[in-house]
Structure formats: structure tokens, C-alpha cells
Amino acid sequence: MYTVFWPACLHGACGTLVGDQFVNSLRTLAMKHLRFNKAGYRPLLSLSLCDSPVADPGCWLLHSTVTTFRRLAWKEPLLVQHWRSFHSSFTGALLAGPFSQLLHVLNQVNWHVDPPYIVVHDSCRHHLLSLPCAVLTDLLTEAWFQYIARCAVYAWGAYAVETIFAGF
């Protein structure tokens, strides 16, 4: 599903702001069509805890946005200068465009931006363009699981989260 469906469904989403409600509706529709939409099933947990976390459209969008932005920044060095300019004049209003989308998905997983650096949840700074691909993928996956845990704690409480993740 994540190798065919999400790229087709979210084609071009890395370049413009995609709302959380749209991603939630994709999750719900995916669960419905997979016939996993029974009472008590949580689409975020069910899709993210499949064989790969990018089975969830939100995780796929996170990975795709960051890796696409990084690939484009390698090809066009001026993009980093525009990113710095956007970040220095950012007033809090997210607009259509790749910088807002990048900021949105990174804030979602509790990362901060200091172009060309990203500051992950444990306050480590990484240069986005010089970070090895495997390390970036691991960091993004870890950030996504922490995001799921935060959502689960908010929705069900800490005891439920400890019970869910006890097997991992």
C-alpha cells in the first residue's frame, strides 16, 4: 500500500501544505478499504504498527517531505538560502509551499528548524544536507513512533500506552 497508494494519492503534497484532517481522512479510508474499521481500531496505531511505519499516510508524508526537500536542496543550493530567509521572517502563519510543509511535518514530530540544521527531540542538531540517508530514516522513524506515543497518551492515558507498547 505504501509503495503504490500513498505516492499516487499524495503526489505533489511535499510542495504544499497538507492539513492533518486530510491525512486523518486518508487513514480512515485506508482502514475501511482494508476492512479493519471495526470498533476499537485506531487507524494511526494500526497503520503505523504494520510491517513498516510508512504504511501510515502521515509517516509517509513526513519521510517524503523531508527527503524530497533534501534532494532538491542538493540540486539547487539557492533553496537553502530561501529556506533561511523564510525561517528568519516567519511570523507563525503557514502558507502554501515547501517551507511551510517542511515546518509543519517537523513540528508535528516535535523537531525544530534552524536552517540548514534540524533539531531533533533530544536537542541534537543535525545538518539536514550532510546527514547520511540511513541515519535520517532512523531519526524520522523514531520521531514518528514518539509522535504516536504522544497521541496515544493524550487519547488513552499512560497506562494504556505502556500496555500497547509492552511487546516492543
Side-chain angles (χ1 to χ4, degrees), residues 44-109:
L44 176 64
L45 278 175
S46 299
L47 291 174
S48 295
L49 297 178
C50 286
D51 62 336
S52 175
V54 292
D56 182 82
C59 186
W60 185 90
L61 191 59
L62 171 68
H63 279 261
S64 179
T65 300
V66 174
T67 56
T68 300
F69 186 85
R70 177 182 150 129
R71 182 174 41 83
L72 291 175
W74 275 341
K75 291 180 179 180
E76 182 55 56
L78 285 176
L79 187 63
V80 175
Q81 291 176 351
H82 292 301
W83 184 26
R84 282 187 187 123
S85 174
F86 169 83
H87 189 70
S88 66
S89 63
F90 183 67
T91 60
L94 294 174
L95 307 170
F99 303 124
S100 289
Q101 177 64 12
L102 182 67
L103 188 62
H104 174 71
V105 296
L106 292 180
N107 282 339
Q108 185 178 24
V109 294

Side-chain angles (χ1 to χ4, degrees), residues 154-168:
Y154 178 74
W156 309 305
Y159 178 73
V161 172
E162 288 174 8
T163 304
I164 290 169
F165 289 106
F168 291 100

Side-chain angles (χ1 to χ4, degrees), residues 80-141:
V80 175
Q81 291 176 351
H82 292 301
W83 184 26
R84 282 187 187 123
S85 174
F86 169 83
H87 189 70
S88 66
S89 63
F90 183 67
T91 60
L94 294 174
L95 307 170
F99 303 124
S100 289
Q101 177 64 12
L102 182 67
L103 188 62
H104 174 71
V105 296
L106 292 180
N107 282 339
Q108 185 178 24
V109 294
N110 213 20
W111 285 11
H112 305 286
V113 177
D114 184 19
Y117 294 93
I118 52 173
V119 182
V120 298
H121 67 279
D122 56 1
S123 301
C124 290
R125 287 173 42 124
H126 300 283
H127 193 283
L128 183 60
L129 303 181
S130 63
L131 196 62
C133 288
V135 173
L136 179 62
T137 300
D138 289 346
L139 287 171
L140 288 169
T141 303

